[in-house]
Amino acid sequence: MDRITRAQLTERGTRGESTATVADRVRVARERASARLAGTPWLTNSEIPGRELRSRWYAAIGAMDEAERNLERGVLTARGLDRVLRVAWTVADLGYDGVGLTLDHMHLDPLAPDLAARTHRLAQRLDALGLDVTVETGARYVLDPRRKHGPSLLDPDPDDRARRVDLLIRAVRVAADLGAHAVHCFSGITPPGTDTDTAWHRLTDALTPVLDAATTAGVPLAVEPEPGHLLATLADFYRLRRMLGDPEPLGLTLDIGHCQCLEPLSPADCIRAAAPWLRHVQIEDMRRGIHEHLPFGDGEIDFPPVLAALSATGYQGLTVVELPRHSHAGPHFAERSLPFLRSAEATSTRSPVLVPRHGDPSATPEGSTT
């Protein structure tokens, strides 16, 4: 497995600014970013003969969390994009091979005008840099500045569910234009007052047109079991596949930390169990029973068996480092993460390789929101 890819980091905004000031800074940041993307080429890596930079942190910046601290939506980009570009230059030669692109206001806004043109420009840049990409849809306030991940595929209001479906279909089109490996998504949290059966039927109904779009585009849809969501475990993913009739484009995003957090199988066994449907992998450290994304070495995961399992199953997609609460030290964790994973990978090659075991169900009850 040679695709240790990127650290998915967030940008933390400023506090106490007036709305007018925030709006001005948003406008300036976007203009500055557009000029850079359209003009000056990115640096090249002279240490890697025959290829350009293999690391990119622009568009590898994950879902924002400023609104959780009651900041206005505009603050999300007040410092975000300009700093993202500076961080990209700072860590560009670390050796990352691809990016996980979270569609959000600050880099590739899925709701702003000229999406196709902006996507085309980004595709050219990624191609010039030789970078692979997956498209992620975990931005927290992209559809509603007051509701984290809202509206979801499970909302009682069908119009609200349709807005999320539209976003996912847009993501599929972006992924096709970028040549992405997959489009990531998740179910959402079951709304208060909604029974489990109703929630599952809403999920399957909502995903049907998205899967149709994915089939047409030839891009897998990779659903992520997320702690606290309706679809929280591997068992829940298997249930979704059965309810939808095992559609070809429906794949899995496996978060290694989530496996440590709540699955009865070890993370390595989760990989072997899920191998036939594995389309996207997120990786970080985590502790049992605590949904907190940690830098490598700060949790309980034994990583050599995890990387050995990914290699043994033949997984060829991106493996993205997801540290959404460590943006204050982004370059540090970028520099620290890749050597850690390379060391663990080297150790894994000296360990016995287990025969992949496909399709083992999780013992966690279906529909769990633990």
Side-chain angles (χ1 to χ4, degrees), residues 107-127:
H107 31 78
L108 188 61
D109 189 338
L111 305 179
D114 300 323
L115 177 60
R118 288 181 288 115
T119 302
H120 177 67
R121 190 164 65 224
L122 177 58
Q124 290 180 314
R125 191 63 65 194
L126 291 171
D127 184 63

Side-chain angles (χ1 to χ4, degrees), residues 8-43:
Q8 183 185 36
L9 303 179
T10 62
E11 283 298 318
R12 300 182 182 273
T14 56
R15 299 174 184 264
E17 296 189 42
S18 68
T19 302
T21 301
V22 168
D24 289 342
R25 296 185 64 185
V26 169
R27 176 182 54 77
V28 170
R30 284 183 171 171
E31 289 175 354
R32 202 174 284 162
S34 296
R36 288 180 181 175
L37 285 176
T40 305
W42 294 68
L43 302 176

Side-chain angles (χ1 to χ4, degrees), residues 34-83:
S34 296
R36 288 180 181 175
L37 285 176
T40 305
W42 294 68
L43 302 176
T44 57
N45 189 349
S46 59
E47 296 181 0
I48 305 179
R51 74 175 189 176
E52 292 181 319
L53 286 180
R54 304 299 294 173
S55 174
R56 178 173 166 89
W57 283 44
Y58 167 74
I61 308 302
M64 300 298 98
D65 66 356
E66 286 91 342
E68 288 186 296
R69 295 176 286 156
N70 298 316
L71 296 177
E72 292 293 330
R73 170 174 163 175
V75 178
L76 298 180
T77 51
R79 287 185 177 173
L81 189 51
D82 192 47
R83 175 162 178 167

Side-chain angles (χ1 to χ4, degrees), residues 225-247:
E226 180 77 23
H229 285 209
L230 173 71
L231 197 156
T233 66
L234 286 178
D236 297 332
F237 172 75
Y238 302 145
R239 175 177 180 172
L240 178 65
R241 286 197 61 89
R242 290 195 300 269
M243 292 182 69
L244 288 168
D246 293 324

